[in-house]
Amino acid sequence: MLEARFGETLLLKKIVDALKEIISQSTLDCTETGMQLQSMDNSHVSLVALSLQTEGFEKYRCDRNVSLGLDLKSLAKVVKSASGDDAVTLTAADKADKLLLSFESDNKSRTADYELKLLNLDQDHLGIPETNYACIVQMPSSEFARICRDMSMFSESVVISCTKQGIKFSANGDMGSANIKLSDTSKGDITIDVDEPITQSFAGRYLNTFTRATPLSDRVKICLAPDVPLLVEYPIEDYGYIRYYLAPKVDEADA
Amino acid sequence: MLEARFGETLLLKKIVDALKEIISQSTLDCTETGMQLQSMDNSHVSLVALSLQTEGFEKYRCDRNVSLGLDLKSLAKVVKSASGDDAVTLTAADKADKLLLSFESDNKSRTADYELKLLNLDQDHLGIPETNYACIVQMPSSEFARICRDMSMFSESVVISCTKQGIKFSANGDMGSANIKLSDTSKGDITIDVDEPITQSFAGRYLNTFTRATPLSDRVKICLAPDVPLLVEYPIEDYGYIRYYLAPKVDEADA
Amino acid sequence: MLEARFGETLLLKKIVDALKEIISQSTLDCTETGMQLQSMDNSHVSLVALSLQTEGFEKYRCDRNVSLGLDLKSLAKVVKSASGDDAVTLTAADKADKLLLSFESDNKSRTADYELKLLNLDQDHLGIPETNYACIVQMPSSEFARICRDMSMFSESVVISCTKQGIKFSANGDMGSANIKLSDTSKGDITIDVDEPITQSFAGRYLNTFTRATPLSDRVKICLAPDVPLLVEYPIEDYGYIRYYLAPKVDEADA
């Protein structure tokens, strides 16, 4: 039996929002050590991986591994109906065909219980190899979201260049071109860690969907290395992280 | 001649908003004792009744009964154009073919007068018999609105069960099911008055249109009895009330 | 070479917003004394004229006259991407085929440069004769915007009547009629200067597009004279103004 309690529904809401634009259905694997979800996006180009450790939960118990096949749009609807500061408990039997979500307000006079039907999903898990990234940039997640949005006005492709001096985002299209440069600042807003400089090109619309995770974290980590997918990571305090992977565009990456 | 002055346009705005999603045209009957409107919704399933007593108005004078055939969308447009804190006076002649709305701001330098053409509407008045309701529940109107909205995600039908222990709203559909229970609380937020327990099923989309009246009142009163329509009443302070009636679904009500 | 620096991007944003609903492309003429733009709207009914004097700019240098053919939708997108309080510098070469916009935040760690392709536009400049207006009304720009919007609910035409007693806006349509009167007030919110009374009729949808300039100025000046276009002027503090011209409707103007 699984029983997992989030102190605030708002966090679950943000997690679901960060997933639901990218994947419509996915399996949440629950074990003694926490919850994991891994899935290619609907068009099989990017990959999203969620990891929630038991430490973050107000209560967590999972006697036996259980895989929950979720329809994320349905889950989003249910979660949206709760107040952000309600607590929410997820409960499922060992061989569950439904997930129970129980919301509790501070004022105990109201209880709201939702049963969501579970799906039977085939799902291959991709091994994600450990990578030594050539460049690691940490920056405010809101700034990254804004840059991704601005680049999309100019072109479908975004070129990311990273050197010891800073990180540059560029887009070039019919309307003109855009260049936004960020440099390491004394304030520590942006930290740039470069072993070797790198320039790669990415499909902007995937970057934009990744930024749906912005409300989950003030900071985002961007990791680049030659010939491996870009990693964009949003830490989730106490719980773990949500990570997005996107392969560089081959024909434009050798700038 | 009719002359009726609302101290705040905002109230008239809320009343029109509470009506205009349900009925497109209706007759406002004005007499010495106040204003009455009664109408089936556009699909002839539910009934709305508005009663405004003279006590609420800043000024009220009606020498002779007059019936005003209103197009509610047009009235909504006019009322929307005013500032909420303007005063508004409605004026009509004894055999009026138009209604004059005069808005006055505190700063008297601005006057806005609108003439709305009146409609000739046939309208039967249904006698609504006095009912001894088996269950009467009073609760915050915002909570009722939220529950109606949440139930609609799951099913077209909402089951309302009321016992001495509390009131329960349930919906059951393809996605799963929802149950929200409210109990009598010491805070007095919710009061439940039960002669005999009752369970009835209703079409959720009508309940949702009733909740357009939420801005009119912090509280809503829900009254149930076997074999009679549900009554949902929003009191309008000093003036009277707006009431909605909806018959239970026959085939599902015997749970 | 042109180099023009706005202390706040927000101002440029408001200027572009005031233009882009009316004209899709236009030439910005830059000279030693400032920037001028003049253009008929897309349907060739009204005229907009923008004048920005060098005094307003934080920095202004224009060695040689240069005409910049702008696509206003593209410019709007670029400007929208900046923070309102960033400074922005416009740079163009003497025979430019592109305009460079450089945004600088207080925190110098971020630079954003956009290059917009310029267009080759034919453009005739209309001489606008000096006019002694019969009526000049100054009023809060937000009030004018609200009146124009309200009138549009009733009719395509708005009648403006101006006498020493005040200014009146009227519209008459299928739904009914609207009359809004403003009088000279002691508070000085509205000033009315009348040589001879005048009544003219205008196409409301043009008036509505003019009100896109409302954020540029708290005040608007409305100038009327027989047989000449209405002038609606929004002053732009320190810089100059944006002016809109619209000819009265001939068949209805002789009220």
Side-chain angles (χ1 to χ4, degrees), chain B residues 196-217:
Chain B
E196 52 171 327
I198 194 167
T199 295
Q200 288 178 327
S201 173
F202 299 96
R205 70 188 189 87
Y206 293 100
L207 297 182
N208 266 310
T209 57
F210 300 168
T211 64
R212 300 284 178 149
T214 304
L216 274 171
S217 172

Side-chain angles (χ1 to χ4, degrees), chain B residues 115-153:
Chain B
E115 275 182 11
L116 271 189
K117 291 185 186 154
L118 294 175
L119 310 171
N120 252 320
L121 302 174
D122 283 337
Q123 217 160 7
D124 291 337
H125 278 258
L126 286 80
I128 301 169
E130 282 290 309
T131 303
N132 287 320
Y133 289 99
C135 300
I136 298 179
V137 177
Q138 300 201 52
M139 58 188 287
S141 60
S142 57
E143 174 76 20
F144 179 64
R146 183 178 154 196
I147 290 172
C148 290
R149 193 196 58 210
D150 292 352
M151 292 293 133
S152 301
M153 299 185 312

Side-chain angles (χ1 to χ4, degrees), chain B residues 2-255:
Chain B
L2 168 77
E3 195 183 343
R5 180 183 165 95
F6 291 86
E8 292 200 333
T9 299
L10 186 58
L11 180 71
L12 180 58
K13 213 181 271 204
K14 289 174 179 174
I15 291 171
V16 174
D17 285 344
L19 297 171
K20 77 175 206 287
E21 298 298 319
I22 299 192
I23 46 177
S24 50
Q25 303 182 331
S26 188
T27 300
L28 184 68
D29 294 307
C30 306
T31 67
E32 214 183 0
T33 61
M35 294 177 168
Q36 312 284 332
L37 178 150
Q38 196 201 84
S39 196
M40 299 294 286
D41 74 87
N42 295 334
S43 53
H44 282 76
V45 172
S46 64
L47 180 86
V48 58
L50 169 75
S51 175
L52 302 175
Q53 304 302 317
T54 57
E55 288 76 9
F57 293 90
E58 274 198 6
K59 182 173 178 182
Y60 189 89
R61 168 190 160 198
C62 185
D63 308 327
R64 197 183 280 240
N65 292 0
V66 56
S67 289
L68 308 173
L70 296 172
D71 180 86
L72 284 154
K73 291 252 185 307
S74 300
L75 181 57
K77 282 184 185 175
V78 167
V79 172
K80 196 177 156 219
S81 76
S83 292
D85 50 1
D86 285 1
V88 56
T89 303
L90 277 53
T91 315
D94 284 347
K95 298 208 166 180
D97 62 351
K98 60 197 179 193
L99 172 67
L100 179 69
L101 295 104
S102 304
F103 297 90
E104 275 168 57
S105 58
D106 280 347
N107 173 340
K108 292 293 170 65
S109 68
R110 181 191 210 269
T111 64
D113 294 329
Y114 296 90
E115 275 182 11
L116 271 189
K117 291 185 186 154
L118 294 175
L119 310 171
N120 252 320
L121 302 174
D122 283 337
Q123 217 160 7
D124 291 337
H125 278 258
L126 286 80
I128 301 169
E130 282 290 309
T131 303
N132 287 320
Y133 289 99
C135 300
I136 298 179
V137 177
Q138 300 201 52
M139 58 188 287
S141 60
S142 57
E143 174 76 20
F144 179 64
R146 183 178 154 196
I147 290 172
C148 290
R149 193 196 58 210
D150 292 352
M151 292 293 133
S152 301
M153 299 185 312
F154 283 84
S155 171
E156 291 179 5
S157 294
V158 179
V159 178
I160 303 182
S161 302
C162 196
T163 65
K164 284 190 194 304
Q165 280 68 51
I167 185 167
K168 187 175 79 166
F169 299 83
S170 309
N172 208 321
D174 294 342
M175 196 170 103
S177 64
N179 283 290
I180 296 181
K181 280 177 236 166
L182 305 173
S183 56
D184 221 320
T185 53
S186 51
K187 288 203 296 174
D189 254 16
I190 296 157
T191 63
I192 295 172
D193 200 341
V194 175
D195 276 349
E196 52 171 327
I198 194 167
T199 295
Q200 288 178 327
S201 173
F202 299 96
R205 70 188 189 87
Y206 293 100
L207 297 182
N208 266 310
T209 57
F210 300 168
T211 64
R212 300 284 178 149
T214 304
L216 274 171
S217 172
D218 288 344
R219 308 280 297 165
V220 62
K221 188 158 86 174
I222 299 162
C223 307
L224 298 146
D227 304 322
V228 303
L230 165 76
L231 163 60
V232 178
E233 176 181 318
Y234 295 85
I236 305 174
E237 202 176 356
D238 298 329
Y239 285 88
Y241 57 78
I242 187 165
R243 289 181 179 156
Y244 301 92
Y245 296 88
L246 178 65
K249 288 191 163 187
V250 176
D251 44 355
E252 303 178 59
D254 26 312

Side-chain angles (χ1 to χ4, degrees), chain C residues 127-148:
Chain C
I128 301 170
E130 282 290 310
T131 302
N132 286 321
Y133 289 99
C135 300
I136 299 179
V137 176
Q138 299 200 53
M139 57 188 288
S141 60
S142 57
E143 175 77 19
F144 180 64
R146 183 179 153 195
I147 291 172
C148 291

